Amino acid sequence: MDWPHDPDGDEGSEGRRKYGQAVLAKKIDEGEDFPLSQSEFVSEHGDEPIRIDYETVVSVSEIFEHVDQAEFEDFPDFHKAVGAGLREADYWPYRLEHA
């Protein structure tokens, strides 16, 4: 894929030290961006790469195809909705096993 920046550079996973939601969080200014519109966020960042795990890189827009919420009131609201979308898309590499 021809990304607008290196998925593992400073704008991405920072040398594979950050993944998924941690990379998305770097694109948000918590003090200025909320409430945050999904459509505006995807319009601005949709073609940027997000490293999901050691072998998977997807675009912001691919992740948000699975996020149902149109607007996020605050950072926790954003993380909950995006986390649900990541799990729905099977982009969440960790599974909680119930006994």
Side-chain angles (χ1 to χ4, degrees):
M1 182 70 143
D2 203 12
W3 300 110
H5 61 77
D6 179 1
D8 297 319
D10 289 341
E11 292 182 61
S13 73
E14 297 178 15
R16 296 187 181 204
R17 292 189 309 269
K18 294 185 176 185
Y19 295 87
Q21 286 190 326
V23 179
L24 286 168
K26 294 183 348 173
K27 300 177 184 312
I28 296 172
D29 181 330
E30 189 171 3
E32 295 183 17
D33 290 343
F34 292 100
L36 178 66
S37 158
Q38 181 188 149
S39 62
E40 289 177 14
F41 185 77
V42 172
S43 177
E44 185 174 343
H45 300 287
D47 62 344
E48 296 178 23
I50 302 295
R51 180 164 291 285
I52 299 297
D53 57 30
Y54 72 97
E55 61 186 2
T56 309
V57 177
V58 300
S59 69
V60 169
S61 61
E62 287 177 81
I63 292 170
F64 278 86
E65 288 174 6
H66 303 277
V67 177
D68 295 330
Q69 200 165 320
E71 187 169 284
F72 314 100
E73 292 302 315
D74 54 25
F75 216 54
D77 190 35
F78 175 83
H79 274 293
K80 287 177 189 175
V82 172
L86 287 166
R87 286 186 291 281
E88 179 184 310
D90 205 26
Y91 290 150
W92 197 264
Y94 308 104
R95 299 285 180 248
L96 178 61
E97 300 295 326
H98 293 275

